[in-house]
Amino acid sequence: DIQMTQTPSSLSASVGDRVIITCRASQHISRYLNWYQQKSGRAPKLLIYAASSLQSGVPSRFSGSGSGTEFTLTISSLQPEDFATYYCQQSYNTPRTFGQGTKVEIK
Amino acid sequence: QGQLVQSGTEVKKPGASVRVSCKASGYTFITYGIIWVRQAPGQGLEWLGWISAYNGNRKYAEKIQDRVTMTTDTSTTTAYMDLRSLRSDDTAVYYCARVVSLSGTDAFDIWGQGTMVAVSS
């Protein structure tokens, strides 16, 4: 199975901050990487697919980059509604696997 | 746009079985696959398996493949996940999600609201 490792596991940030979350795959996965946002008690929501494509309806302050084994999710200017846990997920092979999550908290 | 609505909370004893349903609406059911994911309390997301609503092809996570069955009913546009021989570590929120093909890959773009399955003696 492909292991996905996110860093950091949690972070504290203020409204307006630029936030970067990293996801590393245990093997090459090309650009088969998706990002999800999950708020407490809610289902995950697709933000980014194929490493850098913004899902319809997602604000442009979210962006993704990377290929191969290293990927990043960037929030250019953190908003109050962005405080949540973020997960990366590889779609290169089965089983699909997720990172352990990065919790973004209010500073 | 599409929507997935799941069945309600289940409380089961160890060794029992559970069926979770996932009713799809607002899109052509057989055009997409369905995946099941679970989340234990305070933990991350675990992929359990995938089923094609078109032809019933399926793949399961090795960890639970001996205890799980995923099916679909195209007449009612509903997906089901049956999990047998429940253990305490099966306690989790179970989600279904639609699998969509995007830019040569796939992602999970519509999610059910989740079903809590609690296993306790």
Side-chain angles (χ1 to χ4, degrees):
Chain A
D1 298 2
I2 298 175
Q3 279 206 315
M4 308 301 293
T5 303
Q6 291 180 230
T7 53
S9 295
S10 64
L11 64 91
S12 296
S14 300
V15 172
D17 283 353
R18 182 181 183 90
V19 169
I20 298 175
I21 299 168
T22 297
C23 176
R24 288 189 173 87
S26 61
Q27 67 180 72
H28 176 91
I29 60 169
S30 186
R31 294 177 59 82
Y32 296 127
L33 191 283
N34 306 317
W35 290 96
Y36 299 85
Q37 175 195 65
Q38 186 180 33
K39 296 182 179 179
S40 181
R42 305 290 297 274
K45 172 187 174 182
L46 178 64
L47 296 177
I48 302 281
Y49 62 91
S52 62
S53 296
L54 196 66
Q55 172 67 347
S56 176
V58 174
S60 59
R61 62 181 179 273
F62 291 93
S63 64
S65 65
S67 66
T69 60
E70 188 154 339
F71 302 85
T72 60
L73 173 70
T74 300
I75 310 172
S76 60
S77 177
L78 198 66
Q79 298 302 300
E81 60 268 30
D82 301 336
F83 292 96
T85 300
Y86 294 83
Y87 293 92
C88 61
Q89 174 251 322
Q90 62 83 15
S91 57
Y92 185 78
N93 67 10
T94 300
R96 303 294 195 245
T97 45
F98 292 86
Q100 82 280 14
T102 295
K103 187 171 185 179
V104 176
E105 298 175 302
I106 301 172
K107 182 183 280 185
Chain B
Q1 173 69 359
Q3 187 179 15
L4 297 173
V5 178
Q6 299 183 223
S7 50
T9 297
E10 300 273 5
V11 180
K12 297 291 184 180
K13 294 194 181 302
S17 298
V18 69
R19 165 170 278 200
V20 181
S21 67
C22 171
K23 166 74 174 173
S25 62
Y27 71 92
T28 303
F29 183 64
I30 62 171
T31 303
Y32 300 88
I34 294 286
I35 57 99
W36 291 89
V37 168
R38 72 181 177 184
Q39 187 170 38
Q43 302 301 307
L45 301 167
E46 178 184 16
W47 182 90
L48 299 178
W50 161 86
I51 183 166
S52 165
Y54 174 71
N55 58 17
N57 286 349
R58 65 207 76 181
K59 292 182 181 179
Y60 299 143
E62 197 171 308
K63 179 179 178 180
I64 61 164
Q65 63 181 3
D66 294 335
R67 299 191 294 127
V68 70
T69 302
M70 296 176 187
T71 56
T72 60
D73 182 340
T74 56
S75 67
T76 60
T77 66
T78 303
Y80 297 95
M81 185 198 67
D82 295 300
L83 190 60
R84 302 174 291 279
S85 303
L86 289 167
R87 310 188 294 237
S88 58
D89 63 356
D90 292 318
T91 295
V93 176
Y94 288 74
Y95 294 102
C96 61
R98 187 179 81 166
V99 182
V100 63
S101 294
L102 296 164
S103 297
T105 182
D106 63 67
F108 315 141
D109 70 332
I110 299 172
W111 293 69
Q113 82 277 17
T115 296
M116 179 68 207
V117 176
V119 183
S120 174
S121 54

